[in-house]
Amino acid sequence: MTNATTQQIAVIGAGLMGAGIAQVSAQAGHPVVLRDVTDAALQRGLDGIRASYAKFVSKGKLTAEEAEAALGRITTTTDLGAVAEADIVVEAVFEQLEVKESVFRELDKLAKDGAVLASNTSAIPITRIAAVTERPEFVVGVHFFSPVPMMKLVELVRGYKTSDHALAVARQFAEGVGKEVVVVNRDVAGFVTTRLITALVVEAAKLYESGVASAEDIDTACRLGFGHAMGPLQTADLTGVDILLHAAHNIYSETKDEKFAAPEIMARMVTAGDLGRKSGRGFYPYEK
Ligand SMILES: NC(=O)c1ccc[n+]([C@@H]2O[C@H](COP(=O)([O-])OP(=O)(O)OC[C@H]3O[C@@H](n4cnc5c(N)ncnc54)[C@H](O)[C@@H]3O)[C@@H](O)[C@H]2O)c1
């Protein structure tokens, strides 16, 4: 394995997650190329990274020089051909199988031999993404959490054909950017984390829908009873009710397990536009 910090990283998608992954990678010393489809998306991503570094500097967790140096290690491009130099490619585009499949088909053509192709998907089986490539043994799930610079966890996911080598490279990368990893040995839909939170949110929404308890009391029960930092309905509002409904549909369609059958209220909320914090109302109202 090459020296960790000299590994070139390519991040595909400069949204919330991609920008965060580029940020922590550059901070750990990696040269990073960040790719999105438009210059506007790249600019937004870079602005977010700059603002986040500035926050770390103002809190004394990073010096201004370190932040400048890290920023200097990030280049942006709309050209996917830029992945040719990368040792590790981390894909963080929209959570849609067709979009990810088309990105991985291209990566398979453009990435160098031996490059590890990682996906930040929250719930799509890695085996399905890997299947569109001629090198499934190099495809691995590297699931970061939001906000990336703050959240310590990375869930590493082994697809059906992921090699020990690819998993080891992914582990070294994730630990090198300061994260703690858990390994998911079989890429069941939702892996471990999305499966757990989806089951909890679905059950909480069912209890709320059937009037068993108020949203506040359901969340308080989890916070004070189990020591959770946030209740499940608050988490749903933060993550997006639409995102969790989509995750529940995906996991249910793979498993046919009733505990992932989302209650009607979640579908009604999404249809009505009550998506959580981002829309100003979910299980709770928010100031826009
Ligand atoms: N948001 C979260 O809390 C979270 C947490 C963990 C994992 N994820 C996963 O991370 C991935 C990205 O999520 P996000 O929240 O950053 O989404 P986002 O919508 O903020 O960003 C996605 C970015 O991908 C870009 N994109 C789309 N197609 C592209 C392509 N072909 N090439 C390059 N860029 C492309 C879009 O322009 C956009 O900038 C998803 O798979 C999501 O499930 C999200």
Side-chain angles (χ1 to χ4, degrees):
M1 235 176 277
T2 52
N3 179 319
T5 52
T6 56
Q7 277 172 329
Q8 302 248 1
I9 310 298
V11 180
I12 313 302
L16 181 71
M17 298 305 289
I21 295 164
Q23 176 179 338
V24 297
S25 303
Q27 196 174 332
H30 295 286
V32 179
V33 56
L34 179 58
R35 191 263 176 172
D36 208 301
V37 284
T38 64
D39 287 324
L42 288 168
Q43 196 52 53
R44 264 196 308 278
L46 212 47
D47 288 347
I49 295 172
R50 207 173 274 123
S52 179
Y53 280 146
K55 221 183 265 175
F56 281 106
V57 170
S58 73
K59 287 187 178 153
K61 296 194 169 151
L62 199 67
T63 67
E65 295 71 37
E66 284 166 343
E68 243 350 272
L71 265 176
R73 284 190 279 273
I74 302 174
T75 50
T76 58
T77 183
T78 53
D79 174 15
L80 192 59
V83 302
E85 298 300 312
D87 300 296
I88 303 174
V89 183
V90 187
E91 167 278 312
V93 304
F94 300 134
E95 184 76 348
Q96 287 166 13
L97 180 62
E98 317 76 63
V99 181
K100 292 198 190 284
E101 281 179 338
S102 107
V103 168
F104 274 80
R105 263 188 215 107
E106 289 301 306
L107 292 178
D108 194 26
K109 288 186 210 139
L110 298 168
K112 69 182 180 191
D113 282 350
V116 166
L117 308 181
S119 174
N120 187 53
T121 179
S122 316
I124 299 174
I126 297 303
T127 307
R128 294 187 75 169
I129 296 172
V132 302
T133 74
E134 300 289 322
R135 41 173 131 178
E137 61 279 21
F138 287 95
V139 180
V140 59
V142 177
H143 181 202
F144 285 84
F145 291 76
S146 175
V148 178
M150 305 300 296
M151 298 293 277
K152 284 298 272 182
L153 183 66
V154 166
E155 192 175 34
L156 295 179
V157 186
R158 222 183 230 288
Y160 189 70
K161 292 197 170 169
T162 305
S163 65
D164 290 345
H165 167 75
L167 196 74
V169 171
R171 175 191 286 274
Q172 187 191 47
F173 164 64
E175 290 177 346
V177 303
K179 305 303 179 193
E180 203 164 307
V181 305
V182 295
V183 177
V184 179
N185 289 314
R186 224 156 36 86
D187 66 338
V188 294
F191 315 138
V192 168
T193 53
T194 305
R195 225 157 142 123
L196 286 172
I197 192 61
T198 302
L200 187 60
V201 167
V202 163
E203 190 57 33
K206 282 181 187 163
L207 291 170
Y208 171 71
E209 180 178 57
S210 55
V212 171
S214 66
E216 288 83 356
D217 283 358
I218 290 167
D219 282 338
T220 302
C222 285
R223 284 189 299 105
L224 303 188
F226 309 136
H228 292 187
M230 212 185 246
L233 301 176
Q234 291 171 310
T235 304
D237 277 1
L238 182 65
T239 306
V241 180
D242 53 332
I243 304 283
L244 279 157
L245 181 64
H246 186 65
H249 282 330
N250 274 344
I251 301 172
Y252 180 75
S253 76
E254 288 266 329
T255 61
K256 302 289 179 286
D257 184 335
E258 282 298 317
K259 70 172 169 288
F260 298 107
E264 273 190 346
I265 189 167
M266 288 177 72
R268 281 201 303 273
M269 286 170 75
V270 172
T271 307
D274 284 1
L275 308 180
R277 287 195 191 200
K278 61 187 169 189
S279 71
R281 175 175 278 277
F283 289 96
Y284 299 92
Y286 299 89
E287 300 258 331
K288 273 220 179 172

